[in-house]
């Protein structure tokens, strides 16, 4: 493949993905990043959201990822992430319940004012919402 990249997604449990593709995009804590062949070397902290990859002329494929870091070097994109879920593996009902719990915690924390718990609740809500979006996009 003329514009090929190697994409590896690694979690603590297993190698979630090891494939070649023509482009990759993934969430960082500062926004989304797109990678093509011959991209400059970089390291970035991964945010919660959708990792998208595609081969030339094919439909995009995606995964939910959250936490960890990404390294781009020598046409290889490595994501070492806390969580990687294929859209078909996402339990949408569980994600909805997690979002509801996070919303309740946010409501409680706004009145109590514990900054750390507030940040945790916001992160949990973001993960739950992104899981739902990734699952609905590819189903």
């Amino acid at each position: 493949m003329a514009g090929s990249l190697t994409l590896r997604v690694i979690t603590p449990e297993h190698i979630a993905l090891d494939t070649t593709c023509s482009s990759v995009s993934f969430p960082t804590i500062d926004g989304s990043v797109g990678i093509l062949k011959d991209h400059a070397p970089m390291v970035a902290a991964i945010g919660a959201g959708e990792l998208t990859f595609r081969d030339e002329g094919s439909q995009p494929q995606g995964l939910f990822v959250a936490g960890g870091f990404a390294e781009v070097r020598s046409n290889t994109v490595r994501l070492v992430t806390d969580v990687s879920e294929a859209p078909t593996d996402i339990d949408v009902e569980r994600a909805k319940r997690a979002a509801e719990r996070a919303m309740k915690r946010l409501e409680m924390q706004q009145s109590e004012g514990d900054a750390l718990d507030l940040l945790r609740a916001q992160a949990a809500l973001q993960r739950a919402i992104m899981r739902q979006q990734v699952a609905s996009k590819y189903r």
Side-chain angles (χ1 to χ4, degrees), residues 87-99 128 131-136 139:
T88 55
D89 294 340
I90 296 172
D91 184 340
V92 176
E93 289 305 314
R94 181 174 164 237
K96 286 179 184 177
R97 290 191 304 272
R131 275 188 173 100
Q132 292 176 56
Q133 288 178 351
V134 170
S136 66
R139 289 187 179 178

Side-chain angles (χ1 to χ4, degrees), residues 26-37:
F26 55 88
T28 70
I29 59 172
D30 295 323
S32 185
V33 172
I35 308 294
L36 298 172
K37 185 177 184 217

Side-chain angles (χ1 to χ4, degrees), residues 20-133:
T20 58
C21 57
S22 59
S23 66
V24 178
S25 68
F26 55 88
T28 70
I29 59 172
D30 295 323
S32 185
V33 172
I35 308 294
L36 298 172
K37 185 177 184 217
D38 297 328
H39 192 283
M42 67 173 271
V43 174
I46 298 172
E50 177 186 7
L51 173 143
T52 306
F53 60 99
R54 84 168 52 212
D55 288 332
E56 292 177 27
S58 72
Q59 293 295 318
Q61 299 176 55
L63 296 172
F64 170 77
V65 294
F69 70 93
E71 175 195 39
V72 178
R73 183 170 44 113
S74 302
N75 290 319
T76 299
V77 180
R78 283 182 201 85
L79 278 82
V80 179
T81 182
D82 300 331
V83 178
S84 172
E85 293 175 303
T88 55
D89 294 340
I90 296 172
D91 184 340
V92 176
E93 289 305 314
R94 181 174 164 237
K96 286 179 184 177
R97 290 191 304 272
E100 290 169 3
R101 285 191 309 272
M103 290 292 285
K104 287 178 186 174
R105 287 194 344 244
L106 280 172
E107 290 169 3
M108 287 176 32
Q109 294 309 317
Q110 288 176 350
S111 63
E112 295 174 15
D114 186 349
L116 182 59
D117 284 342
L118 182 63
L119 290 173
R120 286 181 181 157
Q122 289 171 334
L125 179 60
Q126 181 187 19
R127 286 189 307 270
I129 290 170
M130 292 308 301
R131 275 188 173 100
Q132 292 176 56
Q133 288 178 351

Side-chain angles (χ1 to χ4, degrees), residues 5-10 15-20 53 63 76-77:
L5 295 166
T6 299
L7 172 60
R8 291 190 181 106
V9 179
I10 304 160
I15 297 174
L17 183 66
D18 189 356
T19 189
T20 58
F53 60 99
L63 296 172
T76 299
V77 180

